[in-house]
Amino acid sequence: MNKMQKYINALENVMRYLRKEQDKINNGYESIWTVDMLASVHSEINELLNYAHRGEIFFKFGKKQRRLQATYFLLDAYNDSLSQTDLGQSISELQKLYYHL
């Protein structure tokens, strides 16, 4: 599997877990992810996925700044448990891959 396909798979994995968190909230269950956080992650990942499906890797802030906005939620959030969720772990895996594209 080439790097681009691994990247697309990682993006789609984040989207899958993001939808699960959104479904939890929509069904009345609690989530440590807020609706605003999920909307922000969705927007970023959707944009990256659109570029990836065209065979492009998008660096919003240039190639030297390779940190995903979604990663900041894991690093800066008041709740350290975000990184322990399936969504948080999938974002971390995506970030590791993104650094090396």
Side-chain angles (χ1 to χ4, degrees):
M1 184 180 317
N2 66 26
K3 276 188 179 182
M4 182 58 83
Q5 190 57 53
K6 285 181 183 178
Y7 176 54
I8 290 171
N9 289 348
L11 289 165
E12 289 174 345
N13 198 36
V14 170
M15 289 299 272
R16 183 175 18 264
Y17 287 118
L18 185 135
R19 283 191 289 275
K20 285 183 179 183
E21 288 294 327
Q22 288 172 324
D23 287 345
K24 279 174 52 176
I25 291 170
N26 292 338
N27 290 319
Y29 294 98
E30 289 189 27
S31 173
I32 57 176
W33 290 88
T34 67
V35 172
D36 290 339
M37 287 175 171
L38 294 174
S40 178
V41 172
H42 182 271
S43 177
E44 178 183 32
I45 301 303
N46 193 50
E47 182 177 33
L48 295 173
L49 198 51
N50 286 335
Y51 277 93
H53 283 303
R54 294 190 306 238
E56 300 174 37
I57 298 169
F58 180 62
F59 298 103
K60 191 170 194 166
F61 303 106
K63 286 186 177 184
K64 291 185 178 185
Q65 204 306 39
R66 292 182 182 229
R67 176 152 296 156
L68 298 167
Q69 290 175 319
T71 303
Y72 285 106
F73 289 124
L74 305 180
L75 298 174
D76 298 338
Y78 60 91
N79 189 340
D80 292 333
S81 299
L82 289 177
S83 63
Q84 301 306 312
T85 64
D86 290 335
L87 177 56
Q89 290 175 3
S90 67
I91 290 169
S92 293
E93 289 301 314
L94 173 60
Q95 182 62 69
K96 289 175 192 171
L97 182 61
Y98 197 67
Y99 275 134
H100 301 288
L101 294 175

